[in-house]
Amino acid sequence: MARREKTLKEIFTNGFFKQNPTFVQFLGMCPTLAVTKSVESALGMGAGVIFVLVLSNIAVSLIRNYVPREVRIPIYIVIIAALVTVLEMFMKAFVPELAKTLGTFLSLIVVNCLILGRAEAFASKNGVLKSALDGLGMAIGFTGGIVLIAIFRELLGAGSLTIWGDLRVDLIPEQYQISILVQASGAFLVFGVLVAQINKLIFSREDRNEVT
Amino acid sequence: MKHVKIIFTLTLIVLVASMMIYFVEGFTTPYIDAYNERQANLAKLDILPDYDGSFEDVSEDYDLENSPIVKMELAGEVAVFYTIEFGGYNPGITVLVGFDLVSNNIIGFRVIEQNETAGLGSVITEEDFQTQFDNLSPDDIDSIGGTTAVVTLGGVKTALNSVADFHSVEFQGAVLETPEERIIRLKEEITEVDATFTDITSDYDISGSPISKVEMVNNGSDFAILYTVEFAGYRIQFEDETRFNEYFVSFDLDTHDLIGLRVDKQFDTAGFGDQILDPVFEAQFDNLAQDAIDDVAGVTASVTLGGLKGSLEDVVNFHKSEIEGTHVETYPEMVERYKDEITVVDAIINDDSANYDLTETMVTKVELANDGTSDVAVIYTVEFVGYNTTDVVEYIISFDLDTHDILGFRVLYQNETIGYGSLIEDDDFYIQFEDMPQLDAQNGDIDAIAGTSGAPDTTFAFKASLYDVVSFHQTEFQGMIVETDEERQSRLWSELFPTATVFTKVTRDYSAHYDVEEFYEAYDGATYLGNIYHVKAEGASYSEETYLEFFLGIAEDNTFTGVKMWDDSETDGKADPFYLVEYSDLYLGEDIETDYTIDEVAGATMTNTALQYAVLQISIYHVEEYLGLPFARPANVDTADANLLLAFPTAVTFNSVYLDYAYEANIYNLYEALDGSGTVIGYVYYGYANGLNLIEFTWGVDLSGTTQEIYIVLESETWELAETQTYTTPQYDGTAGYFPTTTWLDNFEGVTFSSLLNTEIDDIIGVSRTTESLRDVLEIIAQFHSDESVGGAG
């Protein structure tokens, strides 16, 4: 039986929950743990990934028929690296404070497995529109994932939510904050708990589907 | 064809990517520059708040090549700002520093970028540090303080001094010395102004010496020799293999003493190694005698100082042999001379070590000295560890083969504290060994090294080694038969009770003590003299269970007659000095029930503590079990109510009841804990343990025998060693004094005494001495609580 072709909507929403890069595919763990101290940096990183992933998917999809198989990975890397460099320059020029916050992790988008993963797994086999949608959907899913972690870490760990710059609310007084959550170990804790909860949701839904 | 396609595609992609980056860079650079400019300007305006003009980049107009300055901007005629880059503990400190163009003082210092250690070097970013530079005269740069991070601070000072020099040249018209002028000045400072220097290096073979140049100094006549010397400091040994430090040193051709020394180049750590540039340090070399080089001090960087001194000693030897024409003695020659000095002139030395078993002795070599006709003396080479536990002292000592007395003593190698233990190689110390009676050496009847102010540890260890050598000599050359165990025991016992004729074993007549193997009553005929306890108690090793086995004599009048060590398993001969008669004699006549202090010997503090603890336990046993009397306990030691409250938070008042119960050495005091209505709700123990240092604690227990809190009142343990250990949670968070808060102590809170005695609580590797001793004492208390039925506990 031939596999049913996915609809554009399915491709776009695939990364939101079913194939969420953060909680299901575990892709791009390094930034997931490193930049989720505040919602602001998570959003910034997310925006960067959206930019790079959409463009790299489009670029890879465009040249997919002309790239010799043997050198496809180096070529994808060159494309991604060029895009990240461009992104870095734009961020340094227009949002320099955020670029400082993201620091090295900005350059490290190059080696975010999510980007290369989608280039290889999807964009190199699909058309431009689908690839763009896949890139956008996956990047939104990734952004959603890290923002969710950041919400928990910043709110419970530092008592605040920083959306952007001065757009910040302090909600929990200092004595009730769980400061370990904003430390590196806290990232693992929050991540672990969220993965467990999300998998519970997914599995119980699958169980129900099987029963019915 | 396929390869062509691969190459073509790759090239094309790279080209397109490069083009894209190129255009984006062109587009974004002005914005990025503007941002950086804004940031830099913010710092400048922070320093110069009232200035409303522009900043003019004048970097191109100056030669910044050999300075740390990377950018130079003028704020009109008001000020000049230097952006400088230099290294501290880590590379990459960028600082903006402003100079007033009128006063030429520093008007501000702002760190733009740094990567120094948080809390140490990073202090340079703090306001308190930076305000020091507000209106600071360049002459005062060296007085800057405010951080203990000497390396970072040194980096800041060096860079700023260099900027200040640059500034004075460019804006104040100062003329700085050229490197050539500086060299001439330095040379003249240690010879004579306007002297002429003639290179005579080619006349000598300088290979193998640190000397790179030899110059004859003339002021009408040749009066001095100047050496240019390269030496390895810290940088060259650990970082950069090309950066030799360099100095000039001059010698008077008449006296052959040093005239002076000037450091020309140094690449060592700012704030540490660069102390050799300090004029006060250099002044020590003025008119310094050749043999006084070792006394030079004042540089904390031991590697740099050691490198300088070592090279200078080589230079002195070179000077002696090449200029003075004296022969410089080599090490083998020195050893040969020493051997002659302590035997006979021109002795023929034969190594006879192979004929002896040297495994159980400190002797490493046995040599016979022959005067041409017969063997007249034996020379032992001996090694022992003194105060410096990381190195050995090596000496030779000779015995006359006729009288068997000592002929002489010389040190071959030592690395003890200069001025203290090092005086073991002093001629004054040597003299006493000429024809010293063998018995004096055996009994350690010698002068202390470094006199009364002395080096007690090195002295004691040295005495122990002498005892060992004499014993070896007696066995091997005097045919003295080594004592059998019985003979030795009998000798030790007679030392404890010289007049005793009969010893009666009475161990079985009394209840046993864990540490007592056997004990005996000593009689002179029918007269009771006292007891001898054969004790085997726990030793003091960190890493393993060790023991100390000894005989303790207690006379009828309850005074000690001595402590005679029998055997031990302490590390590295740590217990050796305790075998000496003079250690035993420290106890002689001390009342066993009153406080007495026995000083440690040879730095073996912990062995001494362990030994004294065992002696105290036996003293208590002697009084309470043997004599059936209460042990004259020391007065109760009180502690503040606050310390008790922390051990029993629900109590209100405390009341000492210790005198109602037996004495236990580890318990200072025992309190009832009472609530508001005056009802007894529990007890608090105030006790101590001998960890690495003294640990004092309070520990509450309620009427059901359930422990409350344990509070550490006093400690100075080196808990850092627990850093790598995890028990239930990490045991060390990097702060000093962490021990009182360790979760390991939770083991002793909220548990019953009986469960505590039935549970094995692990100690923590790395701090086992601390945890083991505290745990043992807490178990003793739990046992005490039950044995003594404190508050009816059973």
Side-chain angles (χ1 to χ4, degrees), chain A residues 63 66 68 70-71 75 78-79 82-83 85-86 89-90 92-94 96-97 100, chain B residues 2 5-6 9-10 13-14 17-18 20-21 24-25 27-28 31-32 35 38-39:
Chain A
I63 59 168
Y66 310 103
E70 297 85 345
V71 291
I75 286 174
V78 168
I79 292 171
L83 286 170
T85 311
V86 165
M89 287 173 182
F90 275 121
K92 278 189 173 159
F94 299 109
E97 296 301 329
K100 246 190 209 169
Chain B
K2 185 155 192 196
K5 190 187 171 193
I6 287 176
T9 322
L10 271 172
I13 293 281
V14 169
S18 310
M20 179 169 73
I21 291 171
V24 174
E25 191 188 15
F27 174 71
T28 52
Y31 293 95
I32 295 174
Y35 172 77
R38 270 201 309 281
Q39 290 303 104

mmCIF file of all heavy atoms in Angstrom, chain A residues 63 66 68 70-71 75 78-79 82-83 85-86 89-90 92-94 96-97 100, chain B residues 2 5-6 9-10 13-14 17-18 20-21 24-25 27-28 31-32 35 38-39:
data_model
loop_
_atom_site.group_PDB
_atom_site.id
_atom_site.type_symbol
_atom_site.label_atom_id
_atom_site.label_comp_id
_atom_site.label_asym_id
_atom_site.label_seq_id
_atom_site.Cartn_x
_atom_site.Cartn_y
_atom_site.Cartn_z
ATOM 1 N N ILE A 63 18.279 23.332 -4.333
ATOM 2 C CA ILE A 63 19.432 22.756 -5.033
ATOM 3 C C ILE A 63 19.454 21.237 -4.932
ATOM 4 O O ILE A 63 20.411 20.598 -5.337
ATOM 5 C CB ILE A 63 20.758 23.317 -4.459
ATOM 6 C CG1 ILE A 63 20.859 22.991 -2.968
ATOM 7 C CG2 ILE A 63 20.888 24.806 -4.701
ATOM 8 C CD1 ILE A 63 22.236 23.234 -2.403
ATOM 9 N N TYR A 66 20.577 19.075 -7.813
ATOM 10 C CA TYR A 66 21.880 19.336 -8.448
ATOM 11 C C TYR A 66 23.054 18.948 -7.555
ATOM 12 O O TYR A 66 24.203 19.033 -7.969
ATOM 13 C CB TYR A 66 21.982 20.825 -8.804
ATOM 14 C CG TYR A 66 20.776 21.320 -9.547
ATOM 15 C CD1 TYR A 66 19.797 22.070 -8.907
ATOM 16 C CD2 TYR A 66 20.591 20.979 -10.902
ATOM 17 C CE1 TYR A 66 18.660 22.490 -9.569
ATOM 18 C CE2 TYR A 66 19.459 21.402 -11.569
ATOM 19 C CZ TYR A 66 18.492 22.154 -10.908
ATOM 20 O OH TYR A 66 17.377 22.551 -11.574
ATOM 21 N N PRO A 68 25.583 16.590 -5.761
ATOM 22 C CA PRO A 68 26.075 15.193 -5.774
ATOM 23 C C PRO A 68 25.921 14.592 -4.368
ATOM 24 O O PRO A 68 26.228 15.250 -3.378
ATOM 25 C CB PRO A 68 27.561 15.347 -6.133
ATOM 26 C CG PRO A 68 27.722 16.732 -6.642
ATOM 27 C CD PRO A 68 26.656 17.550 -6.032
ATOM 28 N N GLU A 70 27.611 12.501 -2.689
ATOM 29 C CA GLU A 70 28.814 12.356 -1.868
ATOM 30 C C GLU A 70 29.136 13.600 -1.031
ATOM 31 O O GLU A 70 29.724 13.504 0.039
ATOM 32 C CB GLU A 70 30.045 12.045 -2.746
ATOM 33 C CG GLU A 70 29.970 10.735 -3.492
ATOM 34 C CD GLU A 70 29.220 10.849 -4.820
ATOM 35 O OE1 GLU A 70 28.520 11.864 -5.025
ATOM 36 O OE2 GLU A 70 29.308 9.931 -5.642
ATOM 37 N N VAL A 71 28.780 14.756 -1.559
ATOM 38 C CA VAL A 71 29.192 15.973 -0.862
ATOM 39 C C VAL A 71 28.007 16.763 -0.319
ATOM 40 O O VAL A 71 28.113 17.937 -0.027
ATOM 41 C CB VAL A 71 30.050 16.894 -1.775
ATOM 42 C CG1 VAL A 71 31.393 16.251 -2.041
ATOM 43 C CG2 VAL A 71 29.312 17.202 -3.064
ATOM 44 N N ILE A 75 27.955 20.472 1.811
ATOM 45 C CA ILE A 75 27.237 21.582 1.168
ATOM 46 C C ILE A 75 26.168 22.135 2.100
ATOM 47 O O ILE A 75 26.034 23.350 2.267
ATOM 48 C CB ILE A 75 26.647 21.117 -0.188
ATOM 49 C CG1 ILE A 75 27.804 20.997 -1.192
ATOM 50 C CG2 ILE A 75 25.580 22.088 -0.684
ATOM 51 C CD1 ILE A 75 27.419 20.428 -2.522
ATOM 52 N N VAL A 78 27.844 24.247 4.644
ATOM 53 C CA VAL A 78 28.248 25.567 4.139
ATOM 54 C C VAL A 78 27.042 26.501 4.093
ATOM 55 O O VAL A 78 27.106 27.658 4.520
ATOM 56 C CB VAL A 78 28.892 25.438 2.732
ATOM 57 C CG1 VAL A 78 29.052 26.817 2.086
ATOM 58 C CG2 VAL A 78 30.229 24.743 2.823
ATOM 59 N N ILE A 79 25.932 25.972 3.607
ATOM 60 C CA ILE A 79 24.721 26.809 3.514
ATOM 61 C C ILE A 79 24.289 27.273 4.906
ATOM 62 O O ILE A 79 24.044 28.464 5.136
ATOM 63 C CB ILE A 79 23.576 26.003 2.846
ATOM 64 C CG1 ILE A 79 23.927 25.757 1.373
ATOM 65 C CG2 ILE A 79 22.247 26.751 2.974
ATOM 66 C CD1 ILE A 79 22.995 24.802 0.678
ATOM 67 N N ALA A 82 26.711 29.756 6.430
ATOM 68 C CA ALA A 82 26.579 31.076 5.810
ATOM 69 C C ALA A 82 25.339 31.779 6.357
ATOM 70 O O ALA A 82 25.382 32.968 6.703
ATOM 71 C CB ALA A 82 26.492 30.934 4.289
ATOM 72 N N LEU A 83 24.243 31.027 6.486
ATOM 73 C CA LEU A 83 23.014 31.638 6.990
ATOM 74 C C LEU A 83 23.184 32.102 8.436
ATOM 75 O O LEU A 83 22.723 33.176 8.815
ATOM 76 C CB LEU A 83 21.851 30.630 6.893
ATOM 77 C CG LEU A 83 21.320 30.401 5.483
ATOM 78 C CD1 LEU A 83 20.347 29.225 5.455
ATOM 79 C CD2 LEU A 83 20.613 31.659 4.963
ATOM 80 N N THR A 85 25.986 32.922 9.904
ATOM 81 C CA THR A 85 26.856 34.101 9.909
ATOM 82 C C THR A 85 26.063 35.352 9.581
ATOM 83 O O THR A 85 26.198 36.398 10.234
ATOM 84 C CB THR A 85 27.996 33.913 8.886
ATOM 85 O OG1 THR A 85 28.569 32.630 9.094
ATOM 86 C CG2 THR A 85 29.057 34.981 9.048
ATOM 87 N N VAL A 86 25.221 35.223 8.556
ATOM 88 C CA VAL A 86 24.380 36.358 8.170
ATOM 89 C C VAL A 86 23.461 36.747 9.322
ATOM 90 O O VAL A 86 23.332 37.923 9.676
ATOM 91 C CB VAL A 86 23.562 35.965 6.908
ATOM 92 C CG1 VAL A 86 22.429 36.945 6.693
ATOM 93 C CG2 VAL A 86 24.473 35.918 5.694
ATOM 94 N N MET A 89 25.311 38.561 11.991
ATOM 95 C CA MET A 89 25.600 39.962 11.638
ATOM 96 C C MET A 89 24.369 40.829 11.792
ATOM 97 O O MET A 89 24.430 41.932 12.345
ATOM 98 C CB MET A 89 26.094 40.047 10.189
ATOM 99 C CG MET A 89 27.500 39.528 9.998
ATOM 100 S SD MET A 89 27.858 39.508 8.241
ATOM 101 C CE MET A 89 29.478 38.826 8.244
ATOM 102 N N PHE A 90 23.246 40.302 11.348
ATOM 103 C CA PHE A 90 22.009 41.079 11.476
ATOM 104 C C PHE A 90 21.678 41.325 12.947
ATOM 105 O O PHE A 90 21.302 42.422 13.329
ATOM 106 C CB PHE A 90 20.839 40.344 10.797
ATOM 107 C CG PHE A 90 20.756 40.631 9.318
ATOM 108 C CD1 PHE A 90 20.844 39.610 8.375
ATOM 109 C CD2 PHE A 90 20.595 41.950 8.862
ATOM 110 C CE1 PHE A 90 20.774 39.878 7.022
ATOM 111 C CE2 PHE A 90 20.521 42.221 7.503
ATOM 112 C CZ PHE A 90 20.618 41.186 6.578
ATOM 113 N N LYS A 92 23.724 41.326 15.522
ATOM 114 C CA LYS A 92 24.680 42.258 16.128
ATOM 115 C C LYS A 92 24.383 43.684 15.712
ATOM 116 O O LYS A 92 24.609 44.626 16.468
ATOM 117 C CB LYS A 92 26.110 41.878 15.742
ATOM 118 C CG LYS A 92 26.659 40.777 16.620
ATOM 119 C CD LYS A 92 28.128 40.563 16.377
ATOM 120 C CE LYS A 92 28.699 39.584 17.393
ATOM 121 N NZ LYS A 92 29.939 38.968 16.923
ATOM 122 N N ALA A 93 23.868 43.830 14.476
ATOM 123 C CA ALA A 93 23.593 45.174 13.990
ATOM 124 C C ALA A 93 22.302 45.733 14.569
ATOM 125 O O ALA A 93 22.242 46.905 14.917
ATOM 126 C CB ALA A 93 23.526 45.161 12.465
ATOM 127 N N PHE A 94 21.291 44.882 14.703
ATOM 128 C CA PHE A 94 19.970 45.443 15.048
ATOM 129 C C PHE A 94 19.477 45.061 16.446
ATOM 130 O O PHE A 94 18.682 45.786 17.026
ATOM 131 C CB PHE A 94 18.946 45.045 13.977
ATOM 132 C CG PHE A 94 19.327 45.572 12.620
ATOM 133 C CD1 PHE A 94 19.776 44.719 11.616
ATOM 134 C CD2 PHE A 94 19.298 46.944 12.370
ATOM 135 C CE1 PHE A 94 20.169 45.210 10.389
ATOM 136 C CE2 PHE A 94 19.675 47.438 11.137
ATOM 137 C CZ PHE A 94 20.119 46.583 10.140
ATOM 138 N N PRO A 96 21.737 44.073 19.259
ATOM 139 C CA PRO A 96 23.047 43.701 19.811
ATOM 140 C C PRO A 96 22.981 43.133 21.236
ATOM 141 O O PRO A 96 23.745 42.238 21.576
ATOM 142 C CB PRO A 96 23.840 45.014 19.786
ATOM 143 C CG PRO A 96 22.835 46.089 19.633
ATOM 144 C CD PRO A 96 21.680 45.501 18.910
ATOM 145 N N GLU A 97 22.054 43.662 22.040
ATOM 146 C CA GLU A 97 21.984 43.167 23.423
ATOM 147 C C GLU A 97 21.597 41.697 23.434
ATOM 148 O O GLU A 97 22.152 40.897 24.185
ATOM 149 C CB GLU A 97 20.965 43.984 24.238
ATOM 150 C CG GLU A 97 21.335 45.454 24.399
ATOM 151 C CD GLU A 97 22.683 45.641 25.095
ATOM 152 O OE1 GLU A 97 23.042 44.798 25.937
ATOM 153 O OE2 GLU A 97 23.378 46.630 24.768
ATOM 154 N N LYS A 100 24.400 39.517 22.436
ATOM 155 C CA LYS A 100 25.324 39.309 23.550
ATOM 156 C C LYS A 100 24.807 38.215 24.474
ATOM 157 O O LYS A 100 25.554 37.341 24.918
ATOM 158 C CB LYS A 100 25.454 40.609 24.349
ATOM 159 C CG LYS A 100 26.821 41.226 24.271
ATOM 160 C CD LYS A 100 26.903 42.361 25.279
ATOM 161 C CE LYS A 100 27.876 43.426 24.822
ATOM 162 N NZ LYS A 100 27.769 44.629 25.637
ATOM 163 N N LYS B 2 32.487 12.885 -12.925
ATOM 164 C CA LYS B 2 31.749 13.057 -11.687
ATOM 165 C C LYS B 2 32.507 13.969 -10.733
ATOM 166 O O LYS B 2 31.940 14.828 -10.070
ATOM 167 C CB LYS B 2 31.523 11.693 -11.036
ATOM 168 C CG LYS B 2 30.648 11.795 -9.814
ATOM 169 C CD LYS B 2 29.944 10.502 -9.535
ATOM 170 C CE LYS B 2 28.877 10.770 -8.479
ATOM 171 N NZ LYS B 2 28.409 9.550 -7.875
ATOM 172 N N LYS B 5 32.088 17.486 -11.451
ATOM 173 C CA LYS B 5 30.799 18.016 -11.007
ATOM 174 C C LYS B 5 30.847 18.344 -9.507
ATOM 175 O O LYS B 5 30.365 19.387 -9.058
ATOM 176 C CB LYS B 5 29.699 16.985 -11.283
ATOM 177 C CG LYS B 5 28.326 17.584 -11.056
ATOM 178 C CD LYS B 5 27.214 16.555 -11.147
ATOM 179 C CE LYS B 5 25.905 17.192 -10.696
ATOM 180 N NZ LYS B 5 24.864 16.205 -10.466
ATOM 181 N N ILE B 6 31.482 17.409 -8.737
ATOM 182 C CA ILE B 6 31.581 17.629 -7.282
ATOM 183 C C ILE B 6 32.333 18.921 -6.999
ATOM 184 O O ILE B 6 31.877 19.788 -6.256
ATOM 185 C CB ILE B 6 32.281 16.426 -6.613
ATOM 186 C CG1 ILE B 6 31.328 15.235 -6.595
ATOM 187 C CG2 ILE B 6 32.711 16.774 -5.188
ATOM 188 C CD1 ILE B 6 31.939 13.967 -6.059
ATOM 189 N N THR B 9 30.295 21.968 -8.067
ATOM 190 C CA THR B 9 29.168 22.298 -7.188
ATOM 191 C C THR B 9 29.668 22.927 -5.888
ATOM 192 O O THR B 9 29.147 23.941 -5.420
ATOM 193 C CB THR B 9 28.370 21.025 -6.827
ATOM 194 O OG1 THR B 9 28.319 20.195 -7.982
ATOM 195 C CG2 THR B 9 26.984 21.379 -6.356
ATOM 196 N N LEU B 10 30.687 22.276 -5.295
ATOM 197 C CA LEU B 10 31.222 22.795 -4.034
ATOM 198 C C LEU B 10 31.708 24.230 -4.189
ATOM 199 O O LEU B 10 31.386 25.104 -3.397
ATOM 200 C CB LEU B 10 32.371 21.915 -3.547
ATOM 201 C CG LEU B 10 31.967 20.743 -2.652
ATOM 202 C CD1 LEU B 10 33.175 19.841 -2.399
ATOM 203 C CD2 LEU B 10 31.398 21.233 -1.343
ATOM 204 N N ILE B 13 28.805 26.660 -4.577
ATOM 205 C CA ILE B 13 28.095 26.907 -3.309
ATOM 206 C C ILE B 13 28.913 27.843 -2.416
ATOM 207 O O ILE B 13 28.388 28.804 -1.854
ATOM 208 C CB ILE B 13 27.849 25.567 -2.566
ATOM 209 C CG1 ILE B 13 26.870 24.690 -3.349
ATOM 210 C CG2 ILE B 13 27.356 25.818 -1.147
ATOM 211 C CD1 ILE B 13 25.430 25.070 -3.206
ATOM 212 N N VAL B 14 30.219 27.545 -2.319
ATOM 213 C CA VAL B 14 31.074 28.376 -1.468
ATOM 214 C C VAL B 14 31.097 29.811 -1.978
ATOM 215 O O VAL B 14 31.014 30.769 -1.211
ATOM 216 C CB VAL B 14 32.501 27.783 -1.403
ATOM 217 C CG1 VAL B 14 33.466 28.771 -0.750
ATOM 218 C CG2 VAL B 14 32.491 26.476 -0.632
ATOM 219 N N ALA B 17 27.796 31.469 -1.125
ATOM 220 C CA ALA B 17 27.731 31.744 0.315
ATOM 221 C C ALA B 17 28.619 32.934 0.663
ATOM 222 O O ALA B 17 28.231 33.823 1.424
ATOM 223 C CB ALA B 17 28.144 30.512 1.102
ATOM 224 N N SER B 18 29.839 32.950 0.069
ATOM 225 C CA SER B 18 30.771 34.043 0.366
ATOM 226 C C SER B 18 30.210 35.376 -0.100
ATOM 227 O O SER B 18 30.294 36.388 0.598
ATOM 228 C CB SER B 18 32.120 33.813 -0.315
ATOM 229 O OG SER B 18 32.562 32.530 -0.027
ATOM 230 N N MET B 20 27.125 36.172 -0.415
ATOM 231 C CA MET B 20 26.023 36.582 0.461
ATOM 232 C C MET B 20 26.590 37.228 1.729
ATOM 233 O O MET B 20 26.164 38.312 2.153
ATOM 234 C CB MET B 20 25.193 35.349 0.816
ATOM 235 C CG MET B 20 24.039 35.662 1.745
ATOM 236 S SD MET B 20 22.918 34.271 1.861
ATOM 237 C CE MET B 20 23.863 33.155 2.856
ATOM 238 N N ILE B 21 27.589 36.549 2.325
ATOM 239 C CA ILE B 21 28.181 37.081 3.562
ATOM 240 C C ILE B 21 28.824 38.436 3.299
ATOM 241 O O ILE B 21 28.681 39.380 4.071
ATOM 242 C CB ILE B 21 29.198 36.078 4.123
ATOM 243 C CG1 ILE B 21 28.466 34.849 4.630
ATOM 244 C CG2 ILE B 21 30.019 36.700 5.258
ATOM 245 C CD1 ILE B 21 29.366 33.707 5.021
ATOM 246 N N VAL B 24 26.080 41.083 3.039
ATOM 247 C CA VAL B 24 25.439 41.344 4.339
ATOM 248 C C VAL B 24 26.400 42.088 5.254
ATOM 249 O O VAL B 24 26.013 43.000 5.984
ATOM 250 C CB VAL B 24 24.955 40.028 4.986
ATOM 251 C CG1 VAL B 24 24.441 40.302 6.399
ATOM 252 C CG2 VAL B 24 23.864 39.400 4.143
ATOM 253 N N GLU B 25 27.669 41.689 5.191
ATOM 254 C CA GLU B 25 28.642 42.354 6.049
ATOM 255 C C GLU B 25 28.736 43.841 5.701
ATOM 256 O O GLU B 25 28.732 44.708 6.570
ATOM 257 C CB GLU B 25 30.022 41.697 5.926
ATOM 258 C CG GLU B 25 30.964 42.211 6.996
ATOM 259 C CD GLU B 25 32.392 41.751 6.814
ATOM 260 O OE1 GLU B 25 32.737 41.267 5.722
ATOM 261 O OE2 GLU B 25 33.155 41.895 7.782
ATOM 262 N N PHE B 27 26.514 45.592 4.487
ATOM 263 C CA PHE B 27 25.296 46.260 4.919
ATOM 264 C C PHE B 27 25.259 46.473 6.437
ATOM 265 O O PHE B 27 24.858 47.532 6.914
ATOM 266 C CB PHE B 27 24.089 45.429 4.450
ATOM 267 C CG PHE B 27 22.779 45.942 4.953
ATOM 268 C CD1 PHE B 27 22.245 47.146 4.458
ATOM 269 C CD2 PHE B 27 22.057 45.247 5.911
ATOM 270 C CE1 PHE B 27 21.036 47.622 4.929
ATOM 271 C CE2 PHE B 27 20.853 45.731 6.380
ATOM 272 C CZ PHE B 27 20.330 46.925 5.882
ATOM 273 N N THR B 28 25.721 45.471 7.192
ATOM 274 C CA THR B 28 25.544 45.555 8.649
ATOM 275 C C THR B 28 26.708 46.251 9.376
ATOM 276 O O THR B 28 26.527 46.772 10.471
ATOM 277 C CB THR B 28 25.397 44.146 9.270
ATOM 278 O OG1 THR B 28 26.490 43.336 8.835
ATOM 279 C CG2 THR B 28 24.084 43.515 8.878
ATOM 280 N N TYR B 31 26.216 49.567 11.086
ATOM 281 C CA TYR B 31 25.347 49.500 12.265
ATOM 282 C C TYR B 31 26.122 48.926 13.468
ATOM 283 O O TYR B 31 26.003 49.410 14.586
ATOM 284 C CB TYR B 31 24.125 48.601 11.980
ATOM 285 C CG TYR B 31 23.196 49.185 10.942
ATOM 286 C CD1 TYR B 31 23.310 48.828 9.600
ATOM 287 C CD2 TYR B 31 22.203 50.100 11.308
ATOM 288 C CE1 TYR B 31 22.468 49.349 8.643
ATOM 289 C CE2 TYR B 31 21.346 50.636 10.359
ATOM 290 C CZ TYR B 31 21.480 50.261 9.024
ATOM 291 O OH TYR B 31 20.645 50.797 8.074
ATOM 292 N N ILE B 32 26.907 47.860 13.196
ATOM 293 C CA ILE B 32 27.666 47.230 14.291
ATOM 294 C C ILE B 32 28.702 48.208 14.836
ATOM 295 O O ILE B 32 28.840 48.389 16.045
ATOM 296 C CB ILE B 32 28.349 45.930 13.794
ATOM 297 C CG1 ILE B 32 27.278 44.904 13.413
ATOM 298 C CG2 ILE B 32 29.283 45.364 14.871
ATOM 299 C CD1 ILE B 32 27.813 43.639 12.764
ATOM 300 N N TYR B 35 27.118 50.774 16.929
ATOM 301 C CA TYR B 35 26.754 50.257 18.254
ATOM 302 C C TYR B 35 27.979 50.224 19.166
ATOM 303 O O TYR B 35 27.947 50.691 20.300
ATOM 304 C CB TYR B 35 26.155 48.852 18.117
ATOM 305 C CG TYR B 35 25.939 48.176 19.452
ATOM 306 C CD1 TYR B 35 24.852 48.522 20.258
ATOM 307 C CD2 TYR B 35 26.825 47.195 19.914
ATOM 308 C CE1 TYR B 35 24.655 47.915 21.488
ATOM 309 C CE2 TYR B 35 26.640 46.593 21.140
ATOM 310 C CZ TYR B 35 25.552 46.957 21.922
ATOM 311 O OH TYR B 35 25.369 46.350 23.131
ATOM 312 N N ARG B 38 28.876 53.575 20.162
ATOM 313 C CA ARG B 38 27.978 54.070 21.220
ATOM 314 C C ARG B 38 28.400 53.520 22.578
ATOM 315 O O ARG B 38 28.453 54.235 23.559
ATOM 316 C CB ARG B 38 26.535 53.634 20.929
ATOM 317 C CG ARG B 38 25.735 54.622 20.093
ATOM 318 C CD ARG B 38 24.234 54.414 20.255
ATOM 319 N NE ARG B 38 23.787 53.050 20.068
ATOM 320 C CZ ARG B 38 23.616 52.455 18.882
ATOM 321 N NH1 ARG B 38 23.873 53.132 17.783
ATOM 322 N NH2 ARG B 38 23.199 51.218 18.815
ATOM 323 N N GLN B 39 28.713 52.226 22.614
ATOM 324 C CA GLN B 39 29.110 51.599 23.871
ATOM 325 C C GLN B 39 30.380 52.252 24.418
ATOM 326 O O GLN B 39 30.470 52.591 25.579
ATOM 327 C CB GLN B 39 29.372 50.097 23.675
ATOM 328 C CG GLN B 39 28.147 49.280 23.395
ATOM 329 C CD GLN B 39 27.103 49.421 24.491
ATOM 330 O OE1 GLN B 39 26.100 50.097 24.341
ATOM 331 N NE2 GLN B 39 27.351 48.806 25.639
#
